[in-house]
Amino acid sequence: MSGSTVLAFAVSHAGQTVGRGECYDLAHEALRSGGDRSAPDYGSVGARDDYTWGRPISEGELQPGDIIQFQTHQVRVEVTRRRGSTVLDTSSETATRNHHTVIVAQVHARGRITVYEQNFQGIRSVQRNDLWLDGGTTVNREPQDSGEPIEVTTVVTRTGTWHCYRPQAPAGAFVP
């Protein structure tokens, strides 16, 4: 009855389809596997409802096994690699998560998290992905065996709203 049970469920089902393959199914089954309360215990779970998955927490409190419910979330990541003033390559990627549920696997620095999710970008099995809850610019230097280091600039632009939840045992349940 904890986030570790929720995360263990997600890890053990990586590459598999849980339930109907909906993002809801992964979180719901992960919570139920440990005896925790799930979205139907808190209210309506219709197609347009914003689900509650436990005790609301702030982004700063996130830890593995917590659940995030996105109402909207779009992130654009632009990466530029250069040596000195010469641009070596650039890439960009945009990902959108609207009315989507994920299980937190890891919390990293600068707003990046690793999650387990399904029904993202048309994939209806459990996958592990990184996403950003924060925006900003980071610059890293990649040392080279010879010559000038490569500078990698990452610009993250994100928009949207979401809520973070900590799994909860049923009311009156004994939690060691």
Side-chain angles (χ1 to χ4, degrees):
M1 287 189 241
S2 70
S4 61
T5 305
V6 170
L7 180 56
F9 181 92
V11 169
S12 71
H13 287 81
Q16 301 172 24
T17 299
V18 175
R20 303 161 296 162
E22 298 292 334
C23 59
Y24 169 93
D25 297 336
L26 175 61
H28 177 73
E29 294 299 326
L31 287 163
R32 291 294 194 224
S33 75
D36 291 325
R37 297 174 71 188
S38 184
D41 298 317
Y42 296 98
S44 179
V45 291
R48 300 219 184 267
D49 294 322
D50 290 324
Y51 311 138
T52 299
W53 294 101
R55 180 176 56 86
I57 59 172
S58 71
E59 285 176 35
E61 296 174 273
L62 275 175
Q63 62 188 27
D66 289 339
I67 296 174
I68 303 174
Q69 178 65 46
F70 293 102
Q71 282 82 23
T72 59
H73 179 259
Q74 184 175 65
V75 64
R76 179 172 176 79
V77 180
E78 300 173 31
V79 178
T80 304
R81 297 175 70 240
R82 61 176 46 95
R83 179 176 284 130
S85 61
T86 304
V87 173
L88 302 174
D89 59 62
T90 61
S91 64
S92 66
E93 179 181 347
T94 301
T96 302
R97 289 170 174 86
N98 292 325
H99 200 265
H100 188 66
T101 308
V102 302
I103 296 172
V104 176
Q106 281 182 282
V107 179
H108 308 280
R110 295 188 294 269
R112 184 174 65 91
I113 61 173
T114 302
V115 299
Y116 282 94
E117 60 189 330
Q118 71 177 4
N119 198 16
F120 174 63
Q121 294 184 329
I123 300 172
R124 297 183 74 80
S125 58
V126 179
Q127 54 184 307
R128 182 181 168 111
N129 292 313
D130 285 342
L131 62 90
W132 285 259
L133 295 179
D134 250 347
T137 301
T138 59
V139 178
N140 296 309
R141 294 194 180 277
E142 296 177 353
Q144 302 298 303
D145 290 337
S146 61
E148 205 172 342
I150 295 175
E151 180 180 280
V152 180
T153 303
T154 305
V155 179
V156 177
T157 308
R158 68 102 188 131
T159 60
T161 57
W162 53 87
H163 299 286
C164 306
Y165 297 98
R166 175 86 21 91
Q168 297 295 292
F174 172 73
V175 179

